Amino acid sequence: MISRRNLIGSSVMLAGAAAVSGRVQAASIPEAVTSTSPAMQPPPAPSTGPHFQPVVTLNGWSLPWRMNGDWKEFHLVAEPVRREFAAGMTARLWGYNGQSPGPTIEGVEGDKVRIFVTNKLPEHTTVHWHGMRLPNGMDGVGGLTQPHIKPGQTFVYEFVLQRSGTFMYHPHADEMVQMAMGMMGFFVVHPRDVKERPVDRDFVFLMASYDIDPGTSLPKVMTMTDFNLWAWNSRVFPGIDSLVVRQGDRVRIRIGNLTMTNHPIHMHGPHFEVTGTDGGWVRESARWPEVTTDVPVGGMRAIEFVADDPGDWAIHCHKSHHTMNAMGHDVKTFIGTPQKDLTKAIRKLVPDYMPMGSAGMAEMGSMEMPMPDNTLPMMTGFGQYGPLEMGGMFSVVKVREDVAPGDYKDPGPYKHPPGTVAYEFKGDVPEPSRRSDLPAKPSQVEFSVVKPGSNGHNHH
């Protein structure tokens, strides 16, 4: 829960503040609001400053601010945090204001923002405002554009939000370690004109990857490519919130990627258009319909669609190993291999040995095998028709007729109209016909061998 008492809306007015600017005014530091809950906390519309429609951060929240003269002031605290990835597993990370990722910062085009950053980490840090156009000295590259923020110090960043769009923030000091530990967050700048690019629902999530051994809680920060937990807002399925929308809503989803690889994000059901990148909004004449968009490393994509069709529509990364939780990469493949005799032999040495994988790995999704403490199943989650056999970067867009504006509560499984669900055929199924002209034996296949140098392809 947000800890600050008497917090009204998402903004706090500093009563009586003079319209002054500069370091004297910055001497008074706003309270750093924190949250330790992974529950989604949709922010209310702002009560001060220019109006905008707040975004909804999956399993997250937006950072309150105060007005100090004509400056909008925020306070980030870089610190060690604990983050529940899903029920049954908690990681020890670094983040901001009690969470990883840190709270979403929201402003309006033209806002003057002052962001205090206090360092409670055991080493120095900085904050880089990824994608922002700002004075060079505010860019947050430790050693290049500013001194590092040492433990115990508080630095101030001041700049004007020059254009609307979706941006990110993360350290630019010991970046490999600090980002591997979960230090990142979203920065959304809304258009000054509320009639510009309106949507009914506006979601954000940030992709991150971790390497945490089963039974442990600390990421292995030296991992470069072989990660085993693929997360949205430092949550993995089934711990990721559903995206609940009302039928007919125009919906925007903003997706940032701070992992070490690209992610083809695929949504079932409604087709969408890519409407924004880190570089700005995509002109309407340049958009095209998609069902999958590839989000590059260090990049952002905003997609939009009209939720015409009710139902539970899956949304996920289409790299299948990114929709799995921590995996045993050393497990051998046994598909098609009888294990009966092998099991007898192994059980003489390991009485609890359980053969798996002869018919694929789907059985893991339904067995929910005992696991070490603080470990999630590789494939898990159940729907109204059985196990989902998913993990990692997977969630559901839930489109319903009876969702009220501002309501993001999970409505439960979709009730399909009668006769609209795939069903088993109960009649006779004849053997499939085979082509009679195929060779009976591999030795009867004719082929030609082309020796190197026997043709003109010398430049290949």
Side-chain angles (χ1 to χ4, degrees):
M1 298 294 291
I2 293 177
S3 63
R4 183 172 183 167
R5 292 184 177 181
N6 302 321
L7 187 65
I8 301 175
S10 63
S11 60
V12 178
M13 174 68 79
L14 182 67
V20 297
S21 62
R23 298 176 185 277
V24 173
Q25 189 182 34
S28 175
I29 299 177
E31 182 179 351
V33 179
T34 64
S35 175
T36 57
S37 169
M40 176 194 294
Q41 300 172 45
S47 58
T48 62
H51 180 74
F52 62 86
Q53 178 181 309
V55 297
V56 174
T57 306
L58 295 186
N59 299 104
W61 53 297
S62 290
L63 185 62
W65 71 85
R66 72 176 184 183
M67 294 302 299
N68 190 357
D70 55 353
W71 290 85
K72 186 175 284 185
E73 293 184 336
F74 302 86
H75 191 177
L76 286 176
V77 177
E79 59 186 349
V81 302
R82 288 184 176 273
R83 177 69 166 177
E84 181 193 71
F85 274 43
M89 185 202 167
T90 299
R92 290 183 292 153
L93 306 177
W94 290 354
Y96 300 94
N97 299 54
Q99 286 288 330
S100 168
T104 300
I105 298 175
E106 295 188 76
V108 175
E109 199 174 17
D111 275 352
K112 297 165 68 175
V113 298
R114 176 180 293 127
I115 305 171
F116 297 82
V117 178
T118 298
N119 183 9
K120 292 187 178 181
L121 297 172
E123 68 170 0
H124 66 220
T125 189
T126 63
V127 179
H128 166 58
W129 314 100
H130 186 113
M132 286 280 186
R133 297 182 64 180
L134 36 61
N136 185 241
M138 296 292 164
D139 197 38
V141 181
L144 178 65
T145 63
Q146 69 164 85
H148 293 95
I149 309 173
K150 295 183 173 60
Q153 290 184 325
T154 297
F155 272 45
V156 181
Y157 295 88
E158 294 177 335
F159 49 91
V160 177
L161 304 181
Q162 297 188 26
R163 62 184 177 90
S164 66
T166 312
F167 311 97
M168 299 178 278
Y169 65 88
H170 61 78
H172 227 297
D174 195 12
E175 185 173 340
M176 181 194 75
V177 168
Q178 296 191 11
M179 290 182 65
M181 289 291 287
M183 297 190 70
M184 56 192 71
F186 249 123
F187 199 138
V188 175
V189 181
H190 299 274
R192 172 66 56 169
D193 182 356
V194 295
K195 297 180 182 177
E196 185 178 334
R197 302 180 182 84
V199 292
D200 299 296
R201 296 187 184 233
D202 198 341
F203 297 93
V204 298
F205 65 82
L206 196 51
M207 297 187 285
S209 53
Y210 299 93
D211 184 16
I212 303 176
D213 284 336
T216 70
S217 59
L218 188 65
K220 297 160 71 174
V221 298
M222 299 305 290
T223 296
M224 299 294 117
T225 57
D226 198 15
F227 300 94
N228 62 8
L229 286 166
W230 302 91
W232 290 353
N233 285 349
S234 294
R235 296 276 286 184
V236 297
F237 181 78
I240 300 173
D241 285 326
S242 297
L243 292 78
V244 179
V245 306
R246 182 171 54 177
Q247 187 176 11
D249 276 353
R250 183 167 183 83
V251 182
R252 178 182 296 134
I253 305 175
R254 309 173 193 238
I255 309 164
N257 180 9
L258 289 178
T259 74
M260 298 297 183
T261 186
N262 63 309
H263 296 281
I265 300 301
H266 174 56
M267 187 173 73
H268 301 207
H271 294 183
F272 59 78
E273 293 179 332
V274 176
T275 59
T277 74
D278 315 57
W281 298 104
V282 179
R283 296 185 298 275
E284 288 192 25
S285 59
R287 302 174 187 173
W288 67 91
E290 278 287 11
V291 297
T292 302
T293 184
D294 197 32
V295 187
V297 178
M300 187 286 299
R301 294 291 180 268
I303 65 173
E304 293 181 24
F305 61 93
V306 176
D308 282 333
D309 301 319
D312 286 346
W313 303 109
I315 181 170
H316 57 91
C317 178
H318 219 288
K319 291 183 175 178
S320 57
H321 62 297
H322 293 180
T323 54
M324 302 289 163
N325 293 325
M327 292 177 280
H329 291 177
D330 296 330
V331 173
K332 305 301 181 185
T333 300
F334 288 104
I335 293 176
T337 304
Q339 297 190 65
K340 185 175 179 180
D341 294 339
L342 176 65
T343 300
K344 290 181 180 178
I346 294 178
R347 281 184 175 167
K348 292 178 181 177
L349 301 173
V350 185
D352 295 334
Y353 175 73
M354 180 181 297
M356 295 191 67
S358 294
M361 300 300 286
E363 57 189 340
M364 289 191 66
S366 59
M367 292 176 67
E368 295 285 305
M369 297 170 60
M371 308 195 72
D373 290 342
N374 207 48
T375 302
L376 296 171
M378 185 176 81
M379 298 188 296
T380 186
F382 286 83
Q384 59 181 320
Y385 300 110
L388 269 66
E389 301 155 4
M390 286 283 134
M393 295 175 167
F394 180 90
S395 187
V396 180
V397 177
K398 298 196 171 188
V399 183
R400 301 288 191 274
E401 293 182 36
D402 54 352
V403 175
D407 183 5
Y408 294 90
K409 294 190 301 293
D410 191 327
Y414 178 61
K415 296 179 180 177
H416 298 89
T420 64
V421 177
Y423 59 95
E424 181 185 4
F425 177 70
K426 297 291 188 180
D428 295 332
V429 180
E431 287 295 321
S433 58
R434 305 289 184 186
R435 286 178 56 185
S436 59
D437 57 342
L438 292 176
K441 299 179 180 178
S443 59
Q444 295 175 330
V445 177
E446 294 184 0
F447 59 91
S448 300
V449 176
V450 179
K451 296 181 179 179
S454 61
N455 57 25
H457 296 279
N458 295 329
H459 300 292
H460 286 214

